[in-house]
């Protein structure tokens, strides 16, 4: 009996360390950028998302209406956590849309148009749109990581508390001391 309890205790400790190691690695998120205006926009988005733990993939189409159901289909097709589209309206306003797969949420923000008199102005608008996308992704990633942390905390809750207040792990049907 003593040997079984010791072995079971070792197995519980080993399993716990494997789970902890798996959760210690931050998740690498996948972002699909749909229908980018030009290669400069792709570079701006890459630069703004590089340190967020996001892998960027570009898709030529699939999200023309800006609706959540189309974004969900693009995400499923590419195995993505997020789908983004930055598109210029007929009035020159850049609209940034971000769809998050986990919460199934769609966020939209606009970057006001400036007088399009120079290449520098267009470049600044694209950078502003990439910054807006970064802000939305940061909020969504933080929310996803907080939800994962809460789930891990609830999964790691004590199995049984004895009358003295000490916590006991269970292995089989017998509590470990």
């Amino acid at each position: 009996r003593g040997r079984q309890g010791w072995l079971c205790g070792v197995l519980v400790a080993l399993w716990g360390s494997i789970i902890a190691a798996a959760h210690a690695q931050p998740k690498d998120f996948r972002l699909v950028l749909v229908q980018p205006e030009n290669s400069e926009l792709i570079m701006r988005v890459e630069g703004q998302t590089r340190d967020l733990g996001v892998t960027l993939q570009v898709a030529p189409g699939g999200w023309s209406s800006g609706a959540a159901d189309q974004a969900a289909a693009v995400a499923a097709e590419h195995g993505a956590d997020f789908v983004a589209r930055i598109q210029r309206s007929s009035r020159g306003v850049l609209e940034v849309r971000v769809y998050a797969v986990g919460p199934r949420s769609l966020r939209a923000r606009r970057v006001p148009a400036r007088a399009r008199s120079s290449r520098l102005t267009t470049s600044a608008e694209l950078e502003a749109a990439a910054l807006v996308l970064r802000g939305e992704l940061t909020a969504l990633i933080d929310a996803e990581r907080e939800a994962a942390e809460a789930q891990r905390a609830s999964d790691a809750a004590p199995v049984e508390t004895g009358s003295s207040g000490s916590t006991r792990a269970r292995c089989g049907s017998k509590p470990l001391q």
Side-chain angles (χ1 to χ4, degrees):
R1 178 184 153 159
R3 185 170 222 144
Q4 281 180 331
W6 176 83
L7 180 59
C8 193
V10 169
L11 290 174
V12 167
L14 180 61
W15 182 252
S17 66
I18 290 170
I19 297 296
H23 290 301
Q25 298 292 330
K27 180 178 178 186
D28 186 32
F29 295 98
R30 293 180 54 113
L31 167 66
V32 174
L33 180 62
V34 179
Q35 297 169 309
E37 184 174 298
N38 56 38
S39 60
E40 183 179 357
L41 178 59
I42 296 168
M43 290 184 340
R44 300 288 181 174
V45 170
E46 280 179 332
Q48 288 298 330
T49 60
R50 185 173 294 127
D51 65 331
L52 297 179
V54 172
T55 301
L56 180 65
Q57 182 179 0
V58 176
W63 192 15
S64 56
S65 72
D69 60 336
Q70 281 187 341
V74 170
E77 179 183 338
H78 295 278
D81 301 291
F82 306 103
V83 179
R85 184 180 85 173
I86 301 172
Q87 186 172 19
R88 195 175 297 277
S89 73
S90 59
R91 293 183 173 180
V93 174
L94 283 173
E95 185 176 71
V96 179
R97 290 184 173 264
V98 184
Y99 176 78
V101 173
R104 295 184 190 130
S105 69
L106 177 62
R107 295 176 176 221
R109 303 247 326 258
R110 293 175 184 218
V111 178
R114 305 279 185 234
R116 299 199 56 190
S117 60
S118 71
R119 167 97 174 94
L120 185 60
T121 302
T122 301
S123 181
E125 287 175 339
L126 295 176
E127 184 69 22
L131 276 167
V132 167
L133 176 58
R134 176 191 174 83
E136 294 298 324
L137 281 173
T138 299
L140 290 165
I141 288 169
D142 287 349
E144 187 157 324
R145 287 187 174 144
E146 286 172 12
E149 253 328 288
Q151 182 64 45
R152 279 195 296 276
S154 73
D155 290 347
V159 176
E160 180 183 323
T161 304
S163 59
S164 66
S166 64
T167 303
R168 298 179 187 177
R170 282 190 148 307
C171 187
S173 61
K174 298 177 184 174
L176 295 175
Q177 298 283 344

